[in-house]
Amino acid sequence: MSAVPNPIGKDLLGLEELTADQIRLILDTAEPFKEISERQIKKVPTLRGMTIVNLFFEASTRTRVSFEFAEKRLSADTVNVAASGSSVSKGETLVDTARNLESMKIDMVVIRHGASGAASFLARRIESNVINAGDGTHEHPTQGLLDLLTLRDRFGTLEGRRVCICGDVLHSRVARSNLWGLRKLGAQVAVCGPRSLMPNAIDDMGVQVFTRIEEAIEWAEALNILRLQLERMQAGYIPSLREYNRVFGVTRERIERAPRDIVIMHPGPMNRGVEIDSDVADGEHSVILDQVTNGVAIRMAVLYLLAGGRPELAESAKSGTGR
Ligand code: CP
């Protein structure tokens, strides 16, 4: 581990607090890590001896598995804790849970929690590095980073590119991390969806707002299509799922009318036939599974950097010789 200050700080809580250079550093560090997942033996000893706890208090497939693969491919020891089956279900607080885990000499905590601010709350109270794997409607920084990497793979640079975030922006931590990251890297950003699913402050966020999906498709070079977060809605945000698909659904007919090829992204899990139709999700412009693949490399890069790995040694780290 290096003694120099960590170039991305102690924790990864959101893209709001990172500079453009720090974001670029994470993306660049992820590049050499992509290749490890292509190998027959997908393992290097870079984080051998480190212990990482994955605390998932909300459902997850992609993020939880992706972090676990990233940790295992770097040879860290990992433990998974879910709310059900842990003492949280008996009323133990988040901080007590984390402090008890720290007493067993851990190095990092990856946390997903339903409360906005939970990761930052924890980071201020424990010594271990904390990585936010999604906190309420606040941020999902590693999703934002993997989206940026996927767009950079496609476009070469984000500077000046037109990216529209479509759908349930109001409830979306993915939207917030994307907004911060895209703008810091110089992209032009728009949002599209019903006004009832936009934050009140959207007009002050420096993004273009479309209320018709056809206009968004005409403008954009990439659409990042968000899931309708029905579990976070009480009632009354949209008339019905069918109506939402009719007005805002990204369908093949709409995409075919676009004046250019459009990159199709979705953070998952998808509501097929609601915000996105299957023939778009599985179509030739979709990079949805590339996003998932890039997620492992991004998480490896974040783990590596937080563990004190030096960015300039990431290339040799993948052969197990540097950190
Ligand atoms: N993109 C994302 O956060 O997916 P999961 O909820 O499956 O982790």
Side-chain angles (χ1 to χ4, degrees), residues 56 59-64 112 133 140 143 173-174 227 267-269 299:
F56 275 71
S60 170
T61 299
R62 277 148 291 272
T63 312
R64 186 178 57 75
R112 168 166 289 194
H140 190 348
Q143 178 71 45
R173 51 198 178 206
V174 175
R227 180 174 70 90
R299 289 170 179 125

Side-chain angles (χ1 to χ4, degrees), residues 27-47:
L27 303 187
D28 293 344
T29 305
E31 289 296 343
F33 285 121
K34 285 178 179 174
E35 185 263 327
I36 295 172
S37 297
E38 302 296 329
R39 297 179 187 172
Q40 198 169 8
I41 298 174
K42 302 170 180 55
K43 211 170 182 73
V44 293
T46 312
L47 296 190

Side-chain angles (χ1 to χ4, degrees), residues 219-297:
W219 176 86
E221 294 171 278
L223 299 181
N224 199 345
I225 304 156
L226 304 172
R227 180 174 70 90
L228 276 187
Q229 299 201 27
L230 300 168
E231 75 279 16
R232 295 192 210 276
M233 298 183 195
Q234 304 300 319
Y237 286 93
I238 52 166
S240 69
L241 297 182
R242 197 172 155 163
E243 180 70 1
Y244 184 85
N245 180 256
R246 196 181 64 74
V247 179
F248 288 102
V250 179
T251 62
R252 177 173 284 281
E253 296 73 51
R254 286 181 167 138
I255 290 296
E256 280 175 350
R257 271 187 238 124
R260 67 191 72 78
D261 283 351
I262 299 191
V263 175
I264 298 293
M265 306 173 77
H266 194 303
M270 289 184 274
N271 295 310
R272 287 174 183 261
V274 181
E275 69 269 3
I276 186 167
D277 280 5
S278 276
D279 47 9
V280 175
D282 305 327
E284 68 272 28
H285 303 307
S286 171
V287 294
I288 293 170
L289 295 178
D290 298 330
Q291 292 172 261
V292 178
T293 304
N294 276 340
V296 179

Side-chain angles (χ1 to χ4, degrees), residues 45-95:
T46 312
L47 296 190
R48 196 162 52 195
M50 296 206 71
T51 305
I52 303 175
V53 176
N54 301 311
L55 273 181
F56 275 71
F57 293 160
E58 262 194 347
S60 170
T61 299
R62 277 148 291 272
T63 312
R64 186 178 57 75
V65 174
S66 180
F67 265 111
E68 208 176 330
F69 276 142
E71 292 155 4
K72 288 186 190 309
R73 287 175 193 179
L74 293 175
S75 299
D77 295 318
T78 67
V79 177
N80 296 323
V81 179
S84 65
S86 77
S87 292
V88 171
S89 64
K90 299 180 194 165
E92 185 170 66
T93 66
L94 173 61
V95 170

